[in-house]
Amino acid sequence: MVLVFALAGLAAQKRPITDDTLYDAVIRKLVNDPHLKTNSIEVAVKDRVVTLRGLVDNEKLRLRAERVTKKVEGVKQVVNEHLGSFLEEHP
């Protein structure tokens, strides 16, 4: 019985938040978002600051990518370094 509670306590502990775990979590969120999964977004993480680069179809999707990323637990800041619209690049 004591062993069961000890194992349950271990399972309840969260993994430490690292740049690698944040990268994985952000990528999962962006890929699983039905509006963003077809867009070309690169993700970089350093010191829990997430930088987004690439092209999206419009400004609304750029803001959505930023919002989705900010909701990931552990993200301190989101930088849209060059998350521009495909239409801006190819008029």
Side-chain angles (χ1 to χ4, degrees):
M1 182 106 153
V2 173
L3 179 60
V4 172
F5 288 119
L7 291 175
L10 287 175
Q13 291 178 355
K14 292 185 178 184
R15 294 186 331 189
I17 297 175
T18 65
D19 287 347
D20 288 338
T21 58
L22 278 180
Y23 174 85
D24 291 342
V26 169
I27 291 292
R28 269 194 313 276
K29 289 285 189 181
L30 293 174
V31 168
N32 288 323
D33 185 287
H35 301 285
L36 296 171
K37 65 182 176 182
T38 61
N39 288 277
S40 177
I41 301 173
E42 295 176 26
V43 175
V45 182
K46 181 164 175 64
D47 299 327
R48 297 171 56 180
V49 175
V50 179
T51 302
L52 303 176
R53 294 182 190 98
L55 296 175
V56 293
D57 293 338
N58 55 52
E59 177 69 8
K60 183 177 175 183
L61 291 177
R62 183 186 73 78
L63 294 173
R64 184 178 184 92
E66 189 171 331
R67 273 195 316 274
V68 166
T69 301
K70 284 180 179 178
K71 290 181 181 180
V72 174
E73 182 181 352
V75 171
K76 286 196 310 190
Q77 181 182 356
V78 177
V79 177
N80 267 332
E81 190 169 274
H82 183 66
L83 193 57
S85 165
F86 181 79
L87 296 175
E88 291 171 4
E89 297 288 322
H90 302 90

